[in-house]
Amino acid sequence: MRRILLTGMAGVGKSTVTGELAARGYHAVDADTEEYSEWAPIAGAGDAGPSPARPGMDWVWREDRVQALLAAEVAGTLFVSGCAENMRRFLPQFDRVILLSAPPEVMAVRLRERTTNAYGKDPAEAARALELAESVEPLLRRIATDEIDTRAPLDEVVARVLRVALTPWPPPH
């Protein structure tokens, strides 16, 4: 079984891509849902955190549930999407890490218009998400094996994800 992490900042389209992969019959899980993530206190953070509505809290993966997901035997490829501070401990279990990215102006529109998730609908929260993108996305870029710009039509983005996910890694020398 191959395990692929789709990561990126809020508003780049992780959930949309994951939903489309699932609709096409792939085992695709959005780890940014309450089933796999939760708000948790950040030690010594004061008012820091991704959401002004939840000062001192961060949206983190429920480690026991994510570990169970990654340990389960699945035929073919497992796609997991999400972005959480504690995801780094799971990175060695993924065959590929695909960073989904989009310019800030695209992310801002998507956050404002999203219907499947309330995060970022509040203007202060959207501003904080875009501010975090400046510092967090470069870190994600360092761990990514690949990057895909999500401004293209969804079918094109998913085709690129599948092409990358199904290519052997590391590449032959």
Side-chain angles (χ1 to χ4, degrees):
M1 170 177 74
R2 293 177 57 97
R3 292 175 191 85
I4 308 297
L5 175 61
L6 303 173
T7 194
M9 301 308 298
V12 297
K14 296 182 304 292
S15 298
T16 301
V17 169
T18 303
E20 182 62 22
L21 288 166
R24 293 181 185 197
Y26 291 93
H27 190 161
V29 175
D30 185 348
D32 282 343
T33 63
E34 289 183 3
E35 182 178 356
Y36 292 99
S37 294
E38 64 187 341
W39 288 103
I42 305 169
D47 286 344
S51 173
R54 295 182 184 257
M57 304 287 280
D58 200 356
W59 186 245
V60 298
W61 284 358
R62 296 174 187 249
E63 294 186 6
D64 58 334
R65 294 180 184 186
V66 172
Q67 185 55 55
L69 172 67
L70 294 173
E73 277 304 312
V74 173
T77 302
L78 168 66
F79 293 92
V80 176
S81 69
C83 185
E85 189 278 327
N86 63 336
M87 75 181 192
R88 74 183 88 172
R89 84 174 281 258
F90 298 99
L91 293 177
Q93 296 180 65
F94 289 100
D95 297 292
R96 301 292 280 260
V97 177
I98 301 173
L99 173 61
L100 301 179
S101 62
E105 58 275 8
V106 172
M107 293 167 53
V109 170
R110 290 178 178 171
L111 288 170
R112 189 172 51 251
E113 295 177 354
R114 68 186 350 176
T115 58
T116 58
N117 182 338
Y119 180 75
K121 301 228 28 109
D122 174 88
E125 210 168 54
R128 179 70 175 135
L130 294 172
E131 177 184 307
L132 282 171
E134 290 180 28
S135 59
V136 175
E137 190 172 73
L139 301 175
L140 296 176
R141 196 166 275 116
R142 283 189 215 140
I143 63 163
T145 56
D146 305 272
E147 182 172 354
I148 296 174
D149 186 322
T150 61
R151 286 179 287 182
L154 180 59
D155 282 345
E156 222 175 283
V157 172
V158 171
R160 288 178 188 160
V161 166
L162 290 171
R163 195 167 33 254
V164 166
L166 302 177
T167 299
W169 184 259
H173 296 293

